[in-house]
Amino acid sequence: MRVCVIGCGAVGSLFAAHLAKSGEAEVWAYDVWNEHIEAIRKNGLRLSGAADFTARLNATRDPKELPRCEYGIVATKAIHTRPAISETAHIFDENSAVCSVQNGVGNEEIIAEKVKFVIRGTTFPAGHPIAPGHIGFDIKGDTWIGPFEPTNTPMEKVEELAGLISRSGMNTIALKDARGAQWTKLIFNAATNPVGALTGLHHGAATRFSATNRLFNDLIAEGEAVAKNLGIELHGDPRELVEKGARAPGKHRSSMLQDVLARRQTEVDFMNGAIVQWGEKMSVATPLNRALWQLVKGLEHSWRDPE
């Protein structure tokens, strides 16, 4: 069996390294970060932190080198989903299934434009790049995956992929309806990511500071109201995820804060923007999510138009 990890950054590398280490599947990694790919090809992919090992796998930035694969795991930033799947769709056939483990909502719809079977997913493990070929494994956590409803993906494929990933050391639960898990993380991310990005506070510090911790709770309440009106039953309490993240060792910076520090476009459109847009459809007010969405977009704009 072949599995291609599309987007081998921090999170993608966690999946790629574990799957390669287990040896149960032939693993390919596709990414446009040239130095990272070259380092993986030369020295393997190293993880350190919550797990410490080096795995050997196939890695390329040339989509023409990729073979046909039974499964794909998309782990790019949400803003890169469309170009990434357009470049790699040819490696998947009518029996292949592609799973998103990305932040936010809306990625599966984009993948489904190019691939027959799509799997909805959400994952909680987190990491950060230390150097090309070396990823820091910051936080362990579970992954939930389920059929993306419009594609009628067979549950057997979801269960097969979940088993493969779980046996590699990253616990993955197959669900018939993964929307609750996805929206739980969406609401958590839409609260913590923009606050961290705009204040510069790492997750633990923002949770301990009363003003930002209250803002977390108020943002979560808006997201919960939207999910409720959509008929989605959340997979746990996003507030518990906030507390779990705050207890994690080290000073974990949210992915959006990492993007802002590097002056990269963020995923705010797929987080707070998505909550606002779904709120409009369901006639649910989301003023705080809208404000943070607009502030982060304004910050991005400042890098391009400082005058």
Side-chain angles (χ1 to χ4, degrees):
M1 183 183 295
R2 293 193 187 102
V3 178
C4 182
V5 176
I6 302 165
C8 197
V11 171
S13 290
L14 301 181
F15 283 93
H18 279 86
L19 286 168
K21 181 172 178 282
S22 75
E24 194 174 337
E26 180 182 318
V27 180
W28 285 79
Y30 171 72
D31 201 280
V32 295
W33 180 11
N34 189 52
E35 294 82 3
H36 188 51
I37 292 297
E38 289 304 314
I40 293 172
R41 291 167 75 123
K42 183 177 180 181
N43 302 312
L45 177 54
R46 182 187 172 193
L47 301 185
S48 63
D52 200 331
F53 64 87
T54 300
R56 290 281 179 176
L57 61 145
N58 305 289
T60 184
R61 59 170 300 172
D62 182 359
K64 294 178 182 177
E65 292 183 0
L66 296 170
R68 184 261 176 190
C69 291
E70 281 83 1
Y71 288 101
I73 298 173
V74 182
T76 66
K77 295 283 188 183
I79 57 173
H80 300 138
T81 303
R82 192 174 300 279
I85 197 63
S86 295
E87 290 159 4
T88 57
H90 66 279
I91 71 173
F92 304 113
D93 61 22
E94 61 181 13
N95 294 311
S96 304
V98 178
C99 177
S100 166
V101 292
Q102 299 160 278
N103 284 329
V105 294
N107 294 292
E108 291 86 357
E109 287 84 350
I110 296 172
I111 296 169
E113 294 173 5
K114 300 288 186 179
V115 179
K116 181 179 179 181
F117 292 128
V118 179
I119 297 173
R120 183 192 295 276
T122 189
T123 191
F124 283 93
H128 70 280
I130 294 176
H134 184 188
I135 299 296
F137 191 175
D138 297 335
I139 301 172
K140 287 188 174 182
D142 292 336
T143 299
W144 290 269
I145 64 176
F148 178 55
E149 301 78 16
T151 62
N152 295 311
T153 303
M155 192 64 195
E156 293 78 13
K157 291 186 179 296
V158 176
E159 291 169 344
E160 183 174 43
L161 181 60
L164 184 69
I165 300 171
S166 290
R167 291 190 295 273
S168 78
M170 296 184 71
N171 193 45
T172 301
I173 299 100
L175 300 171
K176 291 182 179 179
D177 185 353
R179 292 179 304 158
Q182 187 179 54
W183 268 79
T184 302
K185 189 184 181 188
L186 167 67
I187 293 168
F188 160 76
N189 273 332
T192 57
N193 270 266
V195 172
L198 292 168
T199 63
L201 293 169
H202 65 79
H203 186 91
T207 306
R208 291 189 295 270
F209 182 51
S210 61
T212 45
N213 188 54
R214 179 171 180 177
L215 184 54
F216 285 168
N217 287 321
D218 292 343
L219 285 160
I220 287 170
E222 286 187 0
E224 287 175 328
V226 175
K228 181 178 179 180
N229 275 266
L230 285 168
I232 296 172
E233 184 177 347
L234 296 183
H235 199 81
D237 187 342
R239 295 165 190 80
E240 293 179 1
L241 300 179
V242 172
E243 292 301 323
K244 179 180 178 182
R247 293 193 300 269
K251 298 179 179 180
H252 177 66
R253 291 171 169 170
S254 70
S255 60
M256 196 177 293
L257 174 54
Q258 294 178 46
D259 287 338
V260 165
L261 292 173
R263 293 197 166 194
R264 295 188 297 256
Q265 184 180 353
T266 72
E267 298 177 290
V268 72
D269 292 335
F270 291 79
M271 294 181 186
N272 304 83
I275 288 176
V276 170
Q277 289 163 354
W278 278 110
E280 289 175 345
K281 293 177 183 177
M282 305 306 296
S283 299
V284 177
T286 55
L288 290 174
N289 276 277
R290 182 181 295 278
L292 290 192
W293 181 25
Q294 292 170 332
L295 285 169
V296 173
K297 296 303 287 185
L299 181 59
E300 292 177 355
H301 182 69
S302 74
W303 307 328
R304 301 187 298 274
D305 186 15
E307 297 180 4

